[in-house]
Amino acid sequence: MEHRAARGSAHPDFSLGLPVLCMSWAEPRPPRCLRPSGPPINRYSHWSVRDWGAGARAGCLNHRGRATGGVGAGASRRAARRREAQAPVSRRRRVPRAAPPHEVELAPAQPGAERKRRSPQFSPESPPFPPATLEPLKDVHVGLAPPGRDPARLAVLSGHYLYYHYGCDGLDDRGWGCGYRTLQTLCSWPEGRAAGVPGVAAVQAALEDMGDKPPGFRGSRSWIGCVEASLCLDHFGGPQGRLCHVPRGAGLERELERLYSHFAGGGGPVMVGGDADAQSKALLGVCLGPDTEAYVLVLDPHCWGAPKNSTELQTAGWVGWREVSTAFDPNSFYNLCLTSHNAKKQQHALD
């Protein structure tokens, strides 16, 4: 009895104890297949498994025609992994990295309430806008109604400011530029003019030149906070910046009287940033009472789009009154940068 398998069929080889698959070399290879229009993808693309014959019955085929099961599938996968490991780094498959939470979450500080009111044109999923320099809107909080039923004390900033946000100068800085945009808003106070407001590249160059940041910070996507903002305010001759640290777990409830005195005394916008709550924002006012109610007027720079007026920003929630107990994370520490009139700049203007 002859122990050879018939051509084109699998038969156990009793001499070796192993199943053997013998394919006829006379069988034609599948022809090259074309897309409906365009060059061929590969030899097996869009080829019907039913028409392939014995080769197809040896294993299933995916959309590229590789065997995903049956005889030889494991060896094919191992060979592919070896080729991947031996390929140059520039030609290896690149797996997208998981974005840090700050790159993904671009919503206001109250995602549950504010996201419902957001206009579709400000959605983070909207397509990128073409690079263009927008004219910043001025005093976008004007027209907001006071919060609460009957506020006992209310104080907002004096002077004027410009609203800087993601992409307002044609630079796509989503996920890392909120600190720079808040700093630009601070620099535009109290005249509310764009003259003298530094760009993102100028801020990075200044921090690197003064030794606060290491070489290579220029042109990067690294964040900045209140400490860097205070250095840049002094460097570019903007308003004076005074730092205040709020320990972790204390919240901003203990700083409400300080903030009220700041705004009531003619102070400017206050930059806020923390660690667990790393989204930079600006405070424009404080509302206290009645009883234990407390609100802060928040200006959020995470808007992406081209807002036409202040009403759109207020409706979308990028500027508005928020309750202190829900607007800030009690598990995060916070740094504040309180701006006030620059005495040297005022003296120079008088001279």
Side-chain angles (χ1 to χ4, degrees):
M1 180 177 179
E2 191 170 322
H3 300 295
R4 287 188 300 176
R7 298 173 62 179
S9 62
H11 192 280
D13 191 341
F14 297 99
S15 62
L16 299 177
L18 297 174
V20 177
L21 177 65
C22 298
M23 299 295 297
S24 173
W25 293 104
E27 291 185 6
R29 298 181 67 86
R32 296 173 64 85
C33 181
L34 300 177
R35 279 197 180 102
S37 62
I41 309 172
N42 57 45
R43 182 171 297 169
Y44 309 116
S45 298
H46 304 201
W47 185 253
S48 173
V49 174
R50 180 188 59 191
D51 298 333
W52 193 324
R57 288 192 297 270
C60 301
L61 299 176
N62 60 14
H63 69 285
R64 294 186 181 275
R66 300 190 192 93
T68 59
V71 180
S76 300
R77 287 193 292 268
R78 288 192 295 271
R81 286 195 293 267
R82 285 196 299 269
R83 290 193 299 268
E84 178 74 17
Q86 296 172 358
V89 177
S90 60
R91 298 186 60 183
R92 294 181 185 177
R93 290 183 301 171
R94 297 182 179 180
V95 180
R97 65 178 180 88
H102 189 74
E103 290 189 20
V104 176
E105 181 58 52
L106 304 178
Q110 287 181 321
E114 303 295 347
R115 193 176 299 166
K116 297 179 181 178
R117 300 197 302 265
R118 187 184 305 171
S119 174
Q121 75 181 85
F122 302 128
S123 173
E125 290 80 13
S126 59
F129 286 84
T133 301
L134 306 176
E135 184 175 355
L137 298 177
K138 188 175 183 179
D139 299 336
V140 296
H141 73 286
V142 175
L144 285 171
R149 300 184 301 273
D150 186 17
R153 294 184 295 169
L154 188 148
V156 296
L157 79 169
S158 61
H160 306 280
Y161 66 92
L162 298 177
Y163 175 54
Y164 287 86
H165 56 89
Y166 279 158
C168 61
D169 56 359
L171 174 65
D172 187 355
D173 57 335
R174 288 177 291 180
W176 58 273
C178 57
Y180 299 91
R181 302 309 182 183
T182 306
L183 170 61
Q184 290 176 324
T185 296
L186 268 58
C187 290
S188 68
W189 183 84
E191 292 86 2
R193 297 184 300 177
V197 176
V200 175
V203 172
Q204 292 182 338
L207 291 173
E208 185 175 325
D209 292 341
M210 69 179 65
D212 182 72
K213 298 298 180 184
F217 180 77
R218 196 186 318 238
S220 67
R221 294 189 175 187
S222 300
W223 308 348
I224 64 170
C226 291
V227 176
E228 293 87 349
S230 64
L231 295 174
C232 290
L233 289 175
D234 182 69
H235 178 82
F236 292 104
Q240 289 183 339
R242 180 166 56 92
L243 291 174
C244 175
H245 179 71
V246 181
R248 190 187 313 276
L252 289 186
E253 286 82 358
R254 300 180 183 179
E255 303 298 326
L256 293 177
E257 290 296 335
R258 183 199 302 267
L259 292 173
Y260 178 83
S261 301
H262 169 77
F263 291 118
V270 178
M271 182 174 177
V272 183
D275 59 342
D277 180 10
Q279 294 185 347
S280 176
K281 56 188 75 71
L283 304 182
L284 307 179
V286 174
C287 180
L288 305 177
D291 301 329
T292 59
E293 294 183 8
Y295 299 86
V296 287
L297 183 55
V298 178
L299 182 66
D300 197 325
H302 296 89
C303 169
W304 172 256
K308 299 181 179 62
N309 48 54
S310 302
T311 305
E312 291 187 4
L313 294 171
Q314 296 172 9
T315 304
W318 298 115
V319 56
W321 292 97
R322 301 181 187 174
E323 194 171 357
V324 175
S325 59
T326 58
F328 299 96
D329 188 355
N331 298 319
S332 174
F333 74 78
Y334 287 98
N335 289 327
L336 308 180
C337 182
L338 298 85
T339 58
S340 58
H341 292 278
N342 193 327
K344 297 180 181 179
K345 191 174 182 179
Q346 286 182 336
Q347 184 65 34
H348 179 72
L350 293 175
D351 297 340

